[in-house]
Amino acid sequence: MVEPRRCFEGERVAVRIEVSYDGGTGRVDPGVALGHGIRLDRLAVGPHRVELVMTAQRWGRWTLGTVDVDVYDLGGLARRTVRVDLGEIAVFPLPGHAGLTPVPVRLPQRLGEHTAAQRGEGVEVTGVHPYVRGERQRRIHWPATTRRGTLQVHQFAAERAADTVVLLDVLADVVDPVTGASSLDETLRAAAGLVRAYLRTHDRVGVVSVGGATRWLQPGSGQGYFYRIVESVLEVRKDRAYRSEGLDRLPPPALPRGALVYVLTPLADQRILGILHQVRGRANPMVVVEIPAGEPVPEPGDTEDELALRLWRADRDAMRFALVEHGIAVVAHRPGRTLDLALAPLLRTRVHGGTR
């Protein structure tokens, strides 16, 4: 028995194996072979049971491993071995802290919590206008009415929900040579924080992962949708197996018209520019969240290494400049910091879309 089969990073998984046999026994000796991403914390052995407590260290789909249970007779001469396959578990990433939810200029005609530019039945006052028969009298703005000599009423902004798509660049997993941090880890943790923030404001959120097989899930809403979104991309990492062979075109249903697209990428692979071009061609408002990949570390005093590092930095600066020149917002996320620090500049103005 293994429980739970789904957990978050750092949580424990309990395994209980029942052993039954005829006659007497000398001892039960288990041999544990752990899978990747799993740490064994405790092992307890009894006459008829073997209990293990494990910790899931990183997000992904992981095979727990196998347990070979050796059962000896009373004299220790005869032995029987039973192999138990523990199966696999789904480990969800710990969502990064995110509370800000920037919105595009145009919002779909669906009730929500974001203030729209259109007039409506919201709670935010945007001005006053002359009274029209049928409007509620309790909305009369008496100071303006006194100044103008005619009845003036409050004007409110409409409240709309947003469609958001989180696009994950899983073309490469870049490891920081200094800290050992994985760009793939940081990408999915930041994405999970974004998804949770938008779902809390009752928006519809979808996900697309590019690299190898393109995986996507249409935008949906509800707190339970968070687990569907995250689980849809867990196959990216399965027992350290990682594949990235080519790109497919983004399916039209994955990017609804007018949906705000967050592209989380370390900008380490030039092929991501083709995906950004596809999104731009559909006129979707877009924000590129750069996940730091760490800089190469040159050998001290090696002029060729230092020159290569300067060229590497110049190439990344050129990629950022090209994106900004095409009207794409680019923000940098730093591991260990809240994602709100990166998204805060987007609150000064709404995100604009491209042109077809």
Side-chain angles (χ1 to χ4, degrees):
M1 180 182 66
V2 178
E3 60 179 15
R5 287 287 183 179
R6 298 178 180 179
C7 62
F8 283 89
E9 293 175 297
E11 291 186 348
R12 291 188 170 184
V13 178
V15 178
R16 183 183 179 92
I17 301 172
E18 299 288 345
V19 182
S20 60
Y21 45 83
D22 297 329
T25 181
R27 62 189 176 93
V28 176
D29 184 17
V32 182
L34 294 177
H36 298 295
I38 305 298
R39 185 185 71 218
L40 180 61
D41 295 330
R42 187 170 64 88
L43 173 63
V45 181
H48 294 278
R49 62 177 177 81
V50 177
E51 295 180 349
L52 304 92
V53 177
M54 306 174 176
T55 298
Q57 296 179 295
R58 302 177 70 184
W59 67 266
R61 290 193 184 277
W62 301 105
T63 300
L64 286 175
T66 59
V67 179
D68 291 333
V69 182
D70 296 335
V71 181
Y72 293 85
D73 66 354
L74 292 175
L77 299 178
R79 182 189 69 180
R80 291 293 182 270
T81 301
V82 177
R83 170 163 291 186
V84 180
D85 188 351
L86 303 181
E88 68 175 28
I89 60 172
V91 183
F92 296 98
L94 289 174
H97 178 72
L100 300 181
T101 52
V103 294
V105 172
R106 297 182 179 179
L107 293 170
Q109 298 295 321
R110 195 175 67 253
L111 292 178
E113 299 184 12
H114 301 293
T115 302
Q118 297 84 7
R119 183 187 304 181
E121 295 296 322
V123 296
E124 183 174 329
V125 178
T126 59
V128 295
H129 66 271
Y131 174 80
V132 178
R133 179 176 294 182
E135 292 190 290
R136 301 176 184 177
Q137 296 182 0
R138 62 187 179 89
R139 292 188 173 181
I140 295 176
H141 188 272
W142 291 108
T145 298
T146 303
R147 290 194 304 269
R148 300 182 183 182
T150 58
L151 283 177
Q152 304 290 318
V153 296
H154 287 284
Q155 178 176 304
F156 295 89
E159 292 185 341
R160 297 285 186 260
D163 283 344
T164 305
V165 175
V166 180
L167 193 151
L168 307 178
D169 174 5
V170 297
L171 291 168
D173 186 6
V174 185
V175 178
D176 191 319
V178 177
T179 64
S182 163
S183 65
L184 195 58
D185 283 345
E186 297 298 333
T187 295
L188 198 54
R189 288 167 187 161
L194 268 178
V195 168
R196 177 166 287 183
Y198 276 93
L199 288 177
R200 284 173 176 170
T201 56
H202 304 97
D203 295 323
R204 296 198 312 171
V205 185
V207 67
V208 181
S209 64
V210 293
T214 300
R215 302 171 178 85
W216 59 279
L217 191 64
Q218 280 187 307
S221 59
Q223 290 301 320
Y225 207 67
F226 168 81
Y227 297 97
R228 287 191 60 190
I229 289 176
V230 177
E231 195 165 8
S232 68
V233 296
L234 286 184
E235 293 292 340
V236 170
R237 174 185 285 159
K238 181 175 174 60
D239 292 337
R240 287 189 178 176
Y242 186 81
R243 294 182 312 215
S244 175
E245 55 281 303
L247 292 174
D248 299 326
R249 291 194 61 83
L250 298 178
L255 297 178
R257 183 176 181 181
L260 174 59
V261 180
Y262 283 96
V263 182
L264 280 73
T265 171
L267 293 179
D269 194 314
Q270 294 282 348
R271 291 178 294 173
I272 192 62
L273 297 180
I275 296 297
L276 299 181
H277 180 71
Q278 290 187 44
V279 178
R280 184 69 177 173
R282 299 184 186 185
N284 284 85
M286 179 169 43
V287 177
V288 173
V289 180
E290 181 183 355
I291 304 297
E295 293 187 347
V297 180
E299 292 290 337
D302 191 327
T303 56
E304 292 184 357
D305 281 3
E306 294 176 356
L307 179 59
L309 179 58
R310 291 177 58 187
L311 292 174
W312 183 86
R313 290 172 177 171
D315 182 63
R316 295 181 65 83
D317 289 341
M319 291 180 66
R320 299 187 191 100
F321 180 79
L323 295 176
V324 174
E325 281 293 294
H326 284 84
I328 300 173
V330 180
V331 297
H333 172 55
R334 294 289 177 260
R337 298 185 181 181
T338 173
L339 195 60
D340 290 345
L341 293 177
L343 300 182
L346 301 178
L347 297 180
R348 300 173 186 170
T349 180
R350 297 194 172 187
V351 185
H352 292 265
T355 55
R356 292 185 182 272

